[in-house]
Amino acid sequence: MNTVSVARWKAEIVGGALLAGVGGFFLVTAWRLPPPDEPGVPGPGSVPIALGLIILFCGLWVMVEAWLRGDRGGLELGGRKQAVALAGLVFATAFFEAAGFMLATFLFLSAGFVLLGDARWRRAIPAAAVVSSGLWLIFTKLLGVGLPYGLIAEILFR
Amino acid sequence: MDSWTFLLNGLWIALQPKNLLLCFIGCFWGSIVGVLPGLGPLAGMALLLPLTFTLDPAGAIIMLSGIFYGAMYGGSTTSILMRIPGEAASVVTCIDGYAMAQKGRAGAALSIAAIGSFVGGVFSVFGLMLLAPRLANAMLAIGPAAEFTILLAALAISIFAANGSVVKIIAMIALGLMLAMIGLDPLTATPRFTFGSLQLSDGLSFAAMAIGLFGVSEILMSFSQGLTERPKAPRLAEMLPTKREVKEAAMPTVRGSFIGFIFGIVPGVGHIVSTFASYAVEKALSRKPEEFGKGAVAGVAGPETANNATTGAAMIPLLVLGIPAIPVTAVLLSALTIHGIQPGPMLIAQHPQIFWGLIASMLIGNLMLVVLNLPLVSLFVSMLRLPYGYLAPTVLLICIIGVYSIKASAFDLSVMVAFGILGYGLRLLSFDIAPLLLAFVLGDRLEVNFRRALTISEGEYAIFLKGPAAQLAAAMAVAVMIGVIALKWRQKRAARA
């Protein structure tokens, strides 16, 4: 499997910078929150300001530590399978309501079985149909969970 | 009424056909998620959390806790047969369990693990029954200042329990607390970090976060850990341990029960520490320490017993203090809160049916697991033969259904995906994500108590040291901080050596 790798120290520096950025962002946003009603008593922004500072500090620490340590070892960020799973997940969640449960999950599973499980299409399609229908029946009929029919079903059946 | 009468009432609740069925479903699903590498009790519980919304609170917690201790049982199967821990607490069992399997004693190892787990589970349930009501009475006396200090101490303990550098753990705790601040301020109703979004006004969904952080990220991580070994299930006839093995397992089982229970009470310590501690004790006490690592029965019996004894004991901080000692109990806390029940000192008095029903169901569930796990080991092993490429998309789909069924919200699905990616990234960079989730759960109470205490004292920080409860809590917090610093320093020194 082809995987993407980077030097660990570089990844740590990027991770630390992102953490510091998140801390800084929360700090600035919390600073704009209304001040406390009484002096000395914490208001809605007091705790977030302190937390923002801690996150910012920790992010900077991680960056500096990574820089000083300079770990040249490789860090595998992931490969084709992680990318496929993530792309499929984003697709399935984005179109879950619009396409409806059956269509979105059928496509997601078929592609998943082929691309992740190396199955042939003629085997993946019936397997995906069985799993989607089975899950639909278990969750909607047996457990009473409401799952979306989707726009296509709405158009076809209403 | 005394504890035994309450327990009988609890048994009556737990033996209701519906609750028995829920207990069975929980134990069965727990065993499955425990067996499958990549899925642990947390993901297993988070996935079924939305389904509990239609249940009554007692049924919901009975099912979820069934998943919890079921996963602890299930985790040992892969450890013994494949040397792959089904969940983190079974790591120690890999050492001697797998060695026993290599010697052709896999069945005996599985039986010893199952019986040890049963004894540990039952022991911890009795401990919970006797200790929890007394602790709850003591907890009623504390105010917001002491409660804040206790919550702070619980987070400090998680620094010790978590893996990785202290700075990274503190960053995760602070991030979790910050994420808990998203939504309306609980005291002034000021919107914080909502950026005009109506969905964010309610705060982030715990289930979406938990499933994303643990479920989705776990699946993504598992692609890098290819499973190549095809395990062979032992026959039922091979499951019986010999007389010598039973004798060798007896005392480690007793000791494991005590060790697991003691470690389980301490918030944040959890199963991994208790199993390692039990293993270390057994090795130290053994007349043949050289057998450890080569298939010592005590190396399986002790840690497996301690593992399940910790499960029952971990319920004490949750039910009595309202503090989820480990991320798994955070899911239980969330389930109870969704049902309008606040765990804490008042739980036993206000909702005895939940507390005693849970205790009784744990007794029944532990017995159910012994009956379930030994004959069904072939079924669980056959699941391990399923190609991961088929299993992963199906589990991801269950994650989607789990999150969507809570509020039918596409926004929550986006939150799940975002936290899945975040969790994956953080784990790659060796950040432990468990403290993040713990802090998220405790964040609201921590802030409210902190601000309430300072409002009462008009800004005087001395309130955190006023009164015996606050002083005791503060002393405990200081002791914990010193302990954490000392233990982390020792860990660092040992790693360098």
Side-chain angles (χ1 to χ4, degrees):
Chain A
M1 190 170 70
N2 296 326
T3 52
V4 179
S5 298
V6 288
R8 181 164 268 280
W9 72 278
K10 282 182 186 170
E12 292 263 354
I13 285 179
V14 172
L18 286 172
L19 197 63
V22 168
F25 172 75
F26 276 118
L27 182 63
V28 171
T29 317
W31 202 267
R32 293 181 188 146
L33 287 169
D37 295 334
E38 295 168 48
V41 176
S46 309
V47 178
I49 287 173
L51 291 172
L53 273 171
I54 294 172
I55 298 170
L56 177 68
F57 172 77
C58 289
L60 294 174
W61 184 289
V62 170
M63 284 172 73
V64 173
E65 200 177 37
W67 176 263
L68 292 177
R69 201 181 280 169
D71 187 349
R72 303 278 152 182
L75 178 72
E76 283 191 3
L77 296 179
R80 188 183 69 90
K81 290 201 170 179
Q82 277 94 342
V84 167
L86 255 180
L89 195 63
V90 170
F91 165 81
T93 50
F95 294 99
F96 194 64
E97 283 190 327
F101 175 86
M102 287 300 280
L103 186 62
T105 57
F106 171 73
L107 292 175
F108 172 70
L109 287 177
S110 316
F113 292 160
V114 170
L115 299 169
L116 300 174
D118 301 323
R120 289 172 186 272
W121 281 104
R122 63 178 177 200
R123 204 172 158 187
I125 288 173
V130 168
V131 176
S132 320
S133 319
L135 286 174
W136 170 269
L137 287 174
I138 291 169
F139 281 94
T140 58
K141 305 294 174 196
L142 207 68
L143 300 166
V145 173
L147 294 171
Y149 284 90
L151 286 175
I152 297 165
E154 291 275 330
I155 294 161
L156 285 175
F157 301 114
R158 287 203 178 176
Chain B
M1 280 203 283
D2 63 5
S3 295
W4 295 101
T5 321
F6 278 121
L7 181 65
L8 282 178
N9 285 340
L11 271 172
W12 187 81
I13 294 164
L15 285 171
Q16 298 292 311
K18 196 190 79 183
N19 288 339
L20 266 181
L21 179 69
L22 290 171
C23 187
F24 174 79
I25 294 171
C27 290
F28 189 69
W29 175 247
S31 299
I32 292 173
V33 295
V35 164
L36 294 176
L39 274 181
L42 200 128
M45 286 164 77
L47 287 174
L48 285 202
L49 179 66
L51 304 182
T52 63
F53 298 164
T54 51
L55 305 172
D56 61 274
I61 193 148
I62 283 173
M63 190 173 88
L64 289 175
S65 38
I67 301 173
F68 182 18
Y69 48 81
M72 294 300 146
Y73 267 72
S76 58
T77 308
T78 45
S79 300
I80 291 168
L81 297 178
M82 297 167 71
R83 213 181 184 189
I84 295 170
E87 37 78 40
S90 306
V91 170
V92 185
T93 315
C94 288
I95 307 169
D96 283 286
Y98 186 70
M100 276 181 80
Q102 294 292 89
K103 286 180 182 172
R105 301 298 300 149
L110 284 168
S111 296
I112 287 165
I115 294 163
S117 298
F118 172 73
V119 175
V122 171
F123 180 88
S124 70
V125 168
F126 282 109
L128 171 65
M129 192 182 100
L130 296 172
L131 205 64
R134 285 161 182 79
L135 258 176
N137 286 337
M139 277 301 290
L140 283 173
I142 69 163
E147 194 171 342
F148 165 77
T149 318
I150 290 172
L151 291 169
L152 200 66
L155 285 179
I157 293 174
S158 77
I159 296 177
F160 161 67
N163 300 312
S165 85
V166 175
V167 175
K168 283 181 175 176
I169 300 167
I170 292 172
M172 289 298 95
I173 291 174
L175 192 60
L177 290 173
M178 186 62 97
L179 292 169
M181 311 277 147
I182 294 174
L184 297 180
D185 173 27
L187 296 182
T188 62
T190 309
R192 294 188 295 185
F193 315 112
T194 58
F195 312 106
S197 157
L198 208 61
Q199 285 115 333
L200 282 177
S201 303
D202 282 345
L204 291 170
S205 155
F206 171 80
M209 258 183 78
I211 292 175
L213 279 174
F214 285 87
V216 174
S217 76
E218 194 75 58
I219 295 287
L220 296 175
M221 293 295 289
S222 299
F223 285 120
S224 319
Q225 304 151 4
L227 305 174
T228 50
E229 196 165 344
R230 289 268 190 251
K232 197 179 140 216
R235 283 178 295 167
L236 204 58
E238 297 167 354
M239 300 297 282
L240 283 179
T242 60
K243 260 187 187 173
R244 195 180 65 89
E245 284 169 339
V246 170
K247 204 176 156 192
E248 283 177 16
M251 283 316 286
T253 304
V254 175
R255 283 190 289 266
S257 297
F258 279 99
I259 293 169
F261 187 78
I262 290 163
F263 277 101
I265 298 173
V266 185
V269 172
H271 298 80
I272 303 169
V273 181
S274 74
T275 49
F276 272 99
S278 168
Y279 191 82
V281 167
E282 292 313 323
K283 197 174 175 183
L285 293 177
S286 175
R287 283 179 193 161
K288 297 171 187 168
E290 68 281 359
E291 276 187 9
F292 278 73
K294 295 170 188 163
V297 172
V300 177
E304 275 302 311
T305 311
N307 187 8
N308 256 41
T310 308
T311 305
M315 295 285 186
I316 292 177
L318 171 74
L319 298 174
V320 177
L321 311 177
I323 297 172
I326 44 177
V328 176
T329 49
V331 181
L332 286 175
L333 174 75
S334 172
L336 286 169
T337 315
I338 286 164
H339 283 279
I341 292 157
Q342 184 60 51
M346 292 303 287
L347 177 85
I348 302 173
Q350 287 177 345
H351 304 282
Q353 76 285 4
I354 293 176
F355 180 77
W356 294 101
L358 171 68
I359 285 188
S361 80
M362 285 173 82
L363 284 174
I364 297 164
N366 275 296
L367 188 64
M368 217 179 248
L369 280 164
V370 176
V371 179
L372 193 76
N373 269 259
L374 294 182
L376 293 187
V377 69
S378 322
L379 174 80
F380 295 134
V381 167
S382 67
M383 270 191 261
L384 291 167
R385 294 192 180 129
L386 269 177
Y388 200 70
Y390 281 84
L391 206 62
T394 312
V395 174
L396 285 175
L397 184 56
I398 297 172
C399 289
I400 294 174
I401 299 170
V403 170
Y404 189 80
S405 55
I406 301 171
K407 285 195 289 187
S409 161
F411 177 76
D412 282 354
L413 290 179
S414 316
V415 171
M416 179 195 77
V417 176
F419 276 92
I421 297 168
L422 178 72
Y424 180 64
L426 288 172
R427 290 169 76 168
L428 281 180
L429 291 169
S430 310
F431 282 86
D432 192 335
I433 50 179
L436 189 154
L437 204 66
L438 271 181
F440 178 77
V441 174
L442 296 179
D444 193 39
R445 278 174 62 201
L446 195 84
E447 189 197 12
V448 166
N449 280 303
F450 174 69
R451 286 168 62 190
R452 265 196 198 136
L454 285 174
T455 307
I456 292 166
S457 70
E458 294 175 335
E460 284 289 323
Y461 281 83
I463 192 168
F464 294 106
L465 292 171
K466 256 184 198 164
Q471 283 163 357
L472 190 69
M476 195 182 84
V478 171
V480 163
M481 302 279 186
I482 293 169
V484 165
I485 293 166
L487 286 165
K488 277 284 169 190
W489 181 73
R490 272 188 67 180
Q491 278 177 0
K492 213 171 177 178
R493 210 178 57 166
R496 273 186 197 152

